[in-house]
Amino acid sequence: MKTDILSLLPHEIAAFFPYEASYRSVQIFEWLHKKNAPSFDAMQNLPKSLRHDLDDVFFITPLDVIESHISSDETIKFLTRLNNDAFAESVLMRYKHGNSVCISTQAGCKMGCKFCASASGFQRDLTPGEYCLQVYNAESAKNVVLMGCGEPLDNFDATLRFIELITHEKGKNLGARHITVSTCGLVPKIYALAELELQINLAISLHATTDELRQKFMPIAKKYPLSELISACRFYVEKTRRRITFEYALIAGQNDSPAHARELGKMLQGLLCHVNLIPINPVQSDFSPTPPRETKIFAAALAEKNIPVTVRRSLGSDINAACGQLRATARTLDLYDNLS
């Protein structure tokens, strides 16, 4: 069986060819991660014999974008086929400070959050190389957000390897502080990530101020109560000295009152953090977004508690590319349900 070369570091590639000069593995890595070579034949500065050997041992997952949609705000959503057995959605978002790409880490998701279209079924983990392909497809992106389909910390080893690959000096050489990893709150993995002391950004999907309410939205809350989650977050900040972002989706009549804001401020008091308020985007659920006036009141109540807060601008909602909407379209769901 051939090996996925996009998921390997230079020294791991070199181990397959001990008879080759050591610099050859770096050349191969550069072709893959800096020049986005689609095949081994494209690597013209390699001997033909080595290109033949590479083709015998490895495969390069093709970048097969089968659909793309452009929003009125110039957000682009891509649907990519991966190895003919899974699909991934990614989103290129345009900002004045630089473009960002939101990538998927799994085909589907196990977490089952009630307000998220990705909860429609899990098929498999993506490989680190498949993470990379989504980034390389969005050539203009300066920031990478692991916040698409799937739970990055549920695919923990692949997520860590992706960070190694994307920050490698011989590849894209992206700075760690330009990478954001989002999680719904897998407490043991937050502790494990903290121990590595990476300089990435961590975002926590919070969405509630009590265990009872959070369990209503997010099944993971039944396993890890808020007290354990916040303790893990405090440990993360102590180890990394990095600020945590708490994502809070505002759902009309559910979690959006001034009282909820005050409870949230009390919960996060003294923690190096920032709250990102997200009026929930329409998906196939019974939830509706908090109106703008109530959103401003909620934000003001948090600010009074000295909690830094912003309201996220929704991008791509007209093409189902906004937060929580990936895999929401009938076309995409049909593709997932009829995998060959």
Side-chain angles (χ1 to χ4, degrees):
M1 182 179 294
K2 292 186 179 183
T3 300
D4 172 18
I5 193 171
L6 277 168
S7 296
L8 299 181
L9 294 166
H11 73 275
E12 294 169 328
I13 297 172
F16 284 84
F17 308 106
Y19 51 85
E20 291 288 346
S22 59
Y23 67 85
R24 290 299 188 193
S25 64
V26 173
Q27 287 180 314
I28 295 165
F29 189 85
E30 288 177 336
W31 273 110
L32 295 168
H33 295 278
K34 185 178 289 185
K35 303 174 185 178
N36 307 335
S39 68
F40 299 116
D41 281 339
M43 302 177 182
Q44 291 299 309
N45 62 345
L46 301 183
K48 189 173 182 179
S49 60
L50 177 55
R51 282 181 269 154
H52 181 272
D53 290 346
L54 285 167
D55 195 45
D56 282 343
V57 177
F58 298 120
F59 68 89
I60 301 175
T61 299
L63 180 60
D64 184 11
V65 178
I66 59 175
E67 282 190 4
S68 61
H69 301 274
I70 304 177
S71 167
S72 58
D73 58 31
E74 298 187 332
T75 297
I76 306 176
K77 180 172 73 170
F78 302 98
L79 176 63
T80 305
R81 186 189 298 272
L82 303 169
N83 284 336
N84 296 318
D85 69 344
F87 295 89
E89 287 194 358
S90 56
V91 180
L92 176 64
M93 300 164 287
R94 303 185 188 279
Y95 298 99
K96 291 181 180 179
H97 59 270
N99 296 340
S100 297
V101 61
C102 177
I103 68 171
S104 295
T105 57
Q106 295 174 316
C109 187
K110 303 174 187 176
M111 299 299 113
C113 298
K114 303 302 182 184
F115 45 74
C116 183
S118 300
S120 56
F122 173 80
Q123 294 186 303
R124 70 167 173 85
D125 292 330
L126 300 190
T127 68
E130 289 169 338
Y131 287 28
C132 290
L133 282 174
Q134 297 173 74
V135 178
Y136 302 157
N137 181 55
E139 295 179 359
S140 62
K142 305 299 183 185
N143 302 285
V144 178
V145 183
L146 280 65
M147 203 179 288
C149 296
E151 163 56 58
L153 298 191
D154 185 49
N155 195 10
F156 191 73
D157 290 343
T159 295
L160 295 184
R161 171 49 61 96
F162 164 73
I163 294 170
E164 285 188 275
L165 292 168
I166 207 71
T167 59
H168 199 285
E169 63 179 358
K170 297 300 183 180
K172 191 170 180 66
N173 197 24
L174 188 71
R177 296 191 179 196
H178 291 272
I179 301 169
T180 299
V181 174
S182 175
T183 177
C184 65
L186 276 62
V187 167
K189 298 300 185 182
I190 294 173
Y191 280 107
L193 189 63
E195 293 288 358
L196 298 174
E197 299 185 25
L198 302 175
Q199 290 302 291
I200 61 171
N201 305 300
L202 180 64
I204 305 291
S205 295
L206 195 61
H207 312 314
T209 57
T210 66
D211 288 323
E212 181 180 11
L213 183 58
R214 195 163 189 262
Q215 288 170 16
K216 180 179 177 180
F217 304 145
M218 307 173 71
I220 195 68
K222 298 175 183 177
K223 188 169 185 178
Y224 304 116
L226 280 168
S227 59
E228 292 184 13
L229 176 57
I230 298 302
S231 292
C233 290
R234 293 188 184 278
F235 179 81
Y236 183 89
V237 170
E238 289 173 5
K239 290 290 290 185
T240 66
R241 306 298 179 189
R242 300 286 293 155
R243 183 181 71 171
I244 288 178
T245 294
F246 288 97
E247 309 285 355
Y248 194 97
L250 289 168
I251 305 172
Q254 301 278 343
N255 65 350
D256 61 346
S257 71
H260 288 124
R262 290 190 290 270
E263 290 171 0
L264 182 58
K266 183 178 180 181
M267 181 189 304
L268 302 181
Q269 192 169 17
L271 180 59
L272 181 62
C273 69
H274 174 266
V275 173
N276 203 352
L277 299 178
I278 311 167
I280 198 165
N281 294 297
V283 294
Q284 297 172 353
S285 73
D286 298 328
F287 302 130
S288 56
T290 298
R293 180 178 178 275
E294 283 72 17
T295 297
K296 290 180 180 179
I297 292 172
F298 192 100
L302 264 184
E304 288 178 3
K305 294 290 186 179
N306 296 316
I307 302 296
V309 57
T310 54
V311 179
R312 179 182 294 176
R313 179 166 64 99
S314 181
L315 296 177
S317 59
D318 58 330
I319 58 170
N320 291 315
C323 287
Q325 290 187 321
L326 296 190
R327 286 185 71 197
T329 65
R331 167 66 174 152
T332 305
L333 289 172
D334 183 63
L335 283 168
Y336 274 96
D337 290 339
N338 294 282
L339 290 171
S340 57

